[in-house]
Amino acid sequence: MDRAQKEKVVDELGQIFASSGVVVVAHYAGITVAQMQDLRAQMREVGGSVRVAKNKLARIALEGKPAAKMGDLLTGMTVMAYSEDPVAAAKVAEAYAKKNDKFVILGGAMGDTILDQAGVKAVAAMPSREELIASIVACLGAPASAIAGAIGAPASNIASILTTIEEREAA
């Protein structure tokens, strides 16, 4: 890899660190190509990506970034899983680590906050953006349906009372 290619990789990694909601760093020694492709596919499904890069280039890209302390995690065979959604990459990485013992989460970064293994687990346990939006919509919709039911209830009550009166008069 010549200097120009290295500079390009450093720029790409710098953009990843700047634009991602979360970056998870893990060791992947012993993982087969098929298993890595499976991880990449799972990450793509949630809008994330997986990147393997030289640790030295990643540390250079981290210089001056809010998550610069994450460089301490970059030792050995590391892979970075990242996504714009602050929870998606952590969820997929955590689920994958449970299935595959050779994928060991070291930590990561969420903005300028450096995460250890427990921090990544905590982020993975949080609801995703879509889940939060769905719960907010459900909360907003519940009062509206209750109001509609309350407004509609007197009309149905009146209709049943009128039906009962008509039946009595007919009898």
Side-chain angles (χ1 to χ4, degrees):
M1 189 182 274
D2 67 353
R3 184 174 177 86
Q5 290 173 318
K6 288 179 182 178
E7 288 176 358
K8 183 180 176 190
V9 169
V10 168
D11 288 342
E12 289 172 4
L13 290 171
Q15 290 193 351
I16 288 169
F17 295 133
S19 66
S20 297
V22 68
V23 178
V24 177
V25 178
H27 279 161
Y28 69 99
I31 289 181
T32 65
V33 173
Q35 291 170 328
M36 185 61 85
Q37 287 175 338
D38 182 42
L39 174 62
R40 289 178 193 274
Q42 289 177 26
M43 204 56 82
R44 264 193 308 271
E45 287 176 15
V46 297
S49 293
V50 175
R51 178 74 187 253
V52 176
K54 290 189 173 202
N55 292 333
K56 186 169 185 167
L57 296 179
R59 279 193 209 100
I60 291 169
L62 278 168
E63 288 176 6
K65 301 283 187 295
K69 291 183 181 179
M70 189 177 73
D72 297 340
L73 300 173
L74 299 170
T75 57
M77 292 180 61
T78 56
V79 62
M80 290 171 281
Y82 57 93
S83 64
E84 287 184 27
D85 183 343
V87 179
K91 276 187 188 272
V92 171
E94 182 65 29
Y96 194 78
K98 285 180 182 175
K99 290 190 301 186
N100 192 330
D101 294 339
K102 295 176 183 171
F103 186 79
V104 180
I105 295 175
L106 302 175
M110 189 169 163
D112 58 353
T113 305
I114 304 304
L115 306 169
D116 58 358
Q117 288 176 331
V120 173
K121 280 187 178 185
V123 170
M126 294 170 56
S128 69
R129 184 180 343 193
E130 287 77 21
E131 291 169 343
L132 284 173
I133 289 171
S135 65
I136 289 171
V137 168
C139 288
L140 292 175
S145 64
I147 290 171
I151 291 172
S156 64
N157 288 343
I158 292 172
S160 65
I161 292 170
L162 290 176
T163 305
T164 306
I165 293 172
E166 288 177 2
E167 289 173 359
R168 284 186 187 166
E169 287 180 5

